[in-house]
Amino acid sequence: GTGLGNWLKRNSHKLHKWYVVPFNAILWTLGRLGWWKKMRDKKDREKAANIFYAIAMIATAGYGVLSHLSHLHGIGAVAEVATEVADGTVSFTAAAETALEVADLA
């Protein structure tokens, strides 16, 4: 098909790399500065970056994109808020807070 949602689904692997690399650097910095101590751990940073990425993709492309993201480490937590994100009943921030709590990263 056409449209942004389909483009995002087809290109999710490339987008993931573009998104997560700089985001990991931000999370690493937050951990180093002591503002988010869990981000000192590489696996925790990867999970958090994937959670933020998955929420952004669902908010943009809709719930259907979740199946294209299932390979990402730590996004099981996003499934709990994916429907609300997709239909706009919950904000990105609220969804991220919930998913990070479920993943024990908050």
Side-chain angles (χ1 to χ4, degrees), residues 16-26 49:
H16 178 253
K17 187 176 175 189
W18 297 336
Y19 183 93
V20 169
V21 171
F23 212 79
N24 257 321
I26 294 166

Side-chain angles (χ1 to χ4, degrees), residues 51-52 55 81 85 90-102 106:
I51 286 169
F52 288 123
I55 292 170
V81 291
V85 171
V90 70
S91 71
F92 180 94
T93 306
E97 286 174 3
T98 300
L100 291 169
E101 283 173 21
V102 170

Side-chain angles (χ1 to χ4, degrees), residues 25-37 39-40 45:
I26 294 166
L27 296 174
W28 179 86
T29 303
L30 293 175
R32 290 300 286 172
L33 295 173
W35 293 343
W36 190 1
K37 288 187 169 72
M39 292 303 101
R40 292 179 180 168
R45 274 197 312 274

Side-chain angles (χ1 to χ4, degrees), residues 4-100:
L4 180 61
N6 287 313
W7 185 88
L8 288 167
K9 288 174 190 172
R10 284 194 311 274
N11 292 284
S12 65
H13 291 286
K14 281 186 224 157
L15 286 170
H16 178 253
K17 187 176 175 189
W18 297 336
Y19 183 93
V20 169
V21 171
F23 212 79
N24 257 321
I26 294 166
L27 296 174
W28 179 86
T29 303
L30 293 175
R32 290 300 286 172
L33 295 173
W35 293 343
W36 190 1
K37 288 187 169 72
K38 282 201 176 246
M39 292 303 101
R40 292 179 180 168
D41 180 80
K42 189 176 192 296
K43 279 207 174 297
D44 284 347
R45 274 197 312 274
E46 181 186 334
K47 280 199 316 197
N50 284 341
I51 286 169
F52 288 123
Y53 172 75
I55 292 170
M57 288 294 286
I58 292 163
T60 309
Y63 185 80
V65 80
L66 192 59
S67 64
H68 295 269
L69 306 174
S70 59
H71 64 284
L72 298 179
H73 179 63
I75 68 149
V78 175
E80 301 208 9
V81 291
T83 309
E84 290 82 3
V85 171
D87 67 18
T89 56
V90 70
S91 71
F92 180 94
T93 306
E97 286 174 3
T98 300
L100 291 169

